[in-house]
Amino acid sequence: MSVNASHLSAFQRFLASESAGGILLMFAAVAALLVANSPLADSYHHLLHLPTGPILSDKLGPMTPHLWINDGLMALFFLLVGLEIRRELVDGSLATWKARRLPALPALMGMAVPAVIYTALTRSDPLLASGWAIPSATDIAFAIGALALLGRHAPLSLKLLLVAIAILDDMGAVVIIAIFYTSSIDGGALAAAGAIVAVLVAMNRLRVTSLWPYLIGLALLWYATLLSGVHATIAGVVGAFLIPYMPSTGEPDALDSPDSPLHRLEHALAPWVGFLIVPLFGFVNAGVSFAGLSPSSVLAPLPLGIAAGLFLGKQLGVFGGVLIAVKTGLAAKPAGTSWLQIYAMAMLCGIGFTMSLFISGLAFPGHPEFVEEAKIGILLGSLVSAAIACLILRFAPKTGEQAAA
């Protein structure tokens, strides 16, 4: 039976967008690996670090394509993340405390356990300590893309749980970046950012619903944050919570709120972020050369710590969190799912790709060799997590509800 796209629920639209973007991200990552291991490798790296703009920040120096993407375009990615988080907390799948009970514990444990495993495996080298957060992140687009490839083998309730955990995971990653990966602070620039925030809050109070004043404010907030020493992408998340939001009158997230600036901005940004910015980020950051790669280099503390954190830490933390939440009566088990399917979903959370790559660049400034090693661990942990999780979900026995669907 065909379904008119205009009648799809908001969550189905979200899944369609995220899954398509995730699949495109996979192709971008593969393309980056092919280019980085081809005769075009030198041209690829030269182009990424070619000075292409003014010095916006003394800390960053001349702007390059790599900086424009990681510090500029990724602010739009974080803006969309912030918009989605706010909407889900107010009018979506995380709008009530009851709805937050199940994903909260696995999200928290899914960040803590990988960090513990990474720290244990890298404790011999103090220089690697700052990378503890790299395996703590989940790539929602990549994970949803993997689930999309499985079709009916992944029940909708499992996808809902994965999205909810990933959203809370994103919140945690943003807090980690703001607190642990900010070195020196420029008080004047930070005060300017605070003043811009105050103006945006005032526009909210005055019920300004036109988007362009907010867009100007967000651009100024990004630049002030860049100068302050706090990573500029944090401006995207902060700015998202300053965009006026009018909850929909129909189904949550329905497109019947034309006066809601948040709805308008989110739906305008989503295609650009999903189909251009995130794949472009993947292409410029996933290119790691395998020349000279040996088993000993893969098993070095840094890549091994990240790979083990993503593959083992995520599945143990997320599955353990769900198990504890259900067995203690804190929350109910997702309807129509088996424990084996939930375990595979927990393993899918080990796909850290986008956010892990992003954090690795922040964790090791001035140590490009560590960033390259981190990429190997991220790719290995994410690939193994995705492959085994998809195999389990593909061949896991269907529950009664799934079989009847």
Side-chain angles (χ1 to χ4, degrees):
M1 183 177 68
S2 62
V3 181
N4 191 312
S6 63
H7 290 95
L8 290 175
S9 72
F11 181 71
Q12 288 171 311
R13 288 195 302 270
F14 172 79
L15 278 182
S17 171
E18 289 288 335
S19 61
I23 293 169
L24 185 58
L25 176 58
M26 296 178 196
F27 282 109
V30 172
L33 290 172
L34 292 175
V35 171
N37 292 276
S38 75
L40 297 173
D42 289 341
S43 299
Y44 167 79
H45 291 292
H46 175 72
L47 178 62
L48 292 184
H49 300 287
L50 185 70
T52 54
I55 297 177
L56 298 180
S57 162
D58 292 336
K59 178 182 177 181
L60 296 177
M63 295 300 287
T64 63
H66 188 266
L67 289 175
W68 281 118
I69 292 168
N70 284 25
D71 291 76
L73 291 181
M74 284 300 283
L76 296 177
F77 165 78
F78 278 87
L79 174 60
L80 182 62
V81 167
L83 294 172
E84 291 178 345
I85 288 172
R86 186 180 180 200
R87 172 175 46 73
E88 291 296 324
L89 290 174
V90 176
D91 194 30
S93 61
L94 297 172
T96 65
W97 284 109
K98 182 179 179 181
R100 298 168 194 162
R101 287 177 186 171
L102 181 58
L105 187 58
L108 180 61
M109 291 180 60
M111 298 188 77
V113 177
V116 170
I117 290 178
Y118 172 89
T119 302
L121 292 176
T122 60
R123 66 185 184 280
S124 60
D125 189 347
L127 291 176
L128 303 181
S130 60
W132 63 271
I134 297 173
S136 296
T138 293
D139 189 316
I140 185 172
F142 224 133
I144 291 296
L147 279 182
L149 296 175
L150 292 165
R152 292 185 178 181
H153 295 285
L156 181 60
S157 58
L158 202 66
K159 296 174 183 178
L160 279 166
L161 178 58
L162 174 62
V163 170
I165 291 173
I167 288 172
L168 294 175
D169 187 286
D170 282 344
M171 293 174 65
V174 169
V175 172
I176 287 171
I177 292 171
I179 296 176
F180 296 100
Y181 295 109
T182 296
S183 51
S184 57
I185 298 293
D186 183 318
L190 195 61
I196 295 167
V197 168
V199 171
L200 292 172
V201 171
M203 289 195 298
N204 265 271
R205 295 292 179 86
L206 294 172
R207 299 186 181 279
V208 176
T209 58
S210 175
L211 262 180
W212 69 263
Y214 292 99
L215 296 179
I216 293 174
L218 290 176
L220 294 174
L221 180 62
W222 171 82
Y223 187 54
T225 306
L226 180 73
L227 295 179
S228 74
V230 178
H231 200 275
T233 52
I234 298 300
V237 178
V238 173
F241 281 79
L242 300 172
I243 303 295
Y245 178 46
M246 292 76 163
S248 55
T249 55
E251 64 182 15
D253 242 2
L255 292 178
D256 60 357
S257 300
D259 294 328
S260 176
L262 186 143
H263 273 92
R264 298 202 306 272
L265 182 57
E266 183 182 358
H267 287 282
L269 271 179
W272 292 100
V273 170
F275 296 108
L276 177 64
I277 294 175
V278 171
L280 190 58
F281 172 84
F283 181 73
V284 304
N285 286 278
V288 58
S289 174
F290 295 139
L293 192 66
S294 64
S296 60
S297 59
V298 174
L299 296 176
L302 179 54
L304 180 62
I306 293 173
L310 286 171
F311 177 63
L312 296 176
K314 276 292 185 180
Q315 60 174 282
L316 292 174
V318 174
F319 183 73
V322 174
L323 190 64
I324 292 172
V326 172
K327 295 300 183 181
T328 60
L330 181 65
K333 181 169 168 280
T337 59
S338 66
W339 281 112
L340 183 59
Q341 290 172 327
I342 293 173
Y343 174 71
M345 181 278 302
M347 194 178 293
L348 270 183
C349 290
I351 304 175
F353 200 73
T354 303
M355 198 69 81
S356 292
L357 285 172
F358 188 81
I359 293 176
S360 68
L362 303 179
F364 302 118
H367 291 281
E369 70 282 7
F370 288 168
V371 176
E372 292 303 303
E373 286 187 41
K375 289 179 182 179
I376 295 172
I378 293 167
L379 292 171
L380 180 61
S382 297
L383 180 61
V384 174
S385 295
I388 297 180
C390 287
L391 283 174
I392 292 174
L393 284 171
R394 173 63 180 81
F395 296 105
K398 291 184 178 182
T399 63
E401 293 181 36
Q402 285 180 268

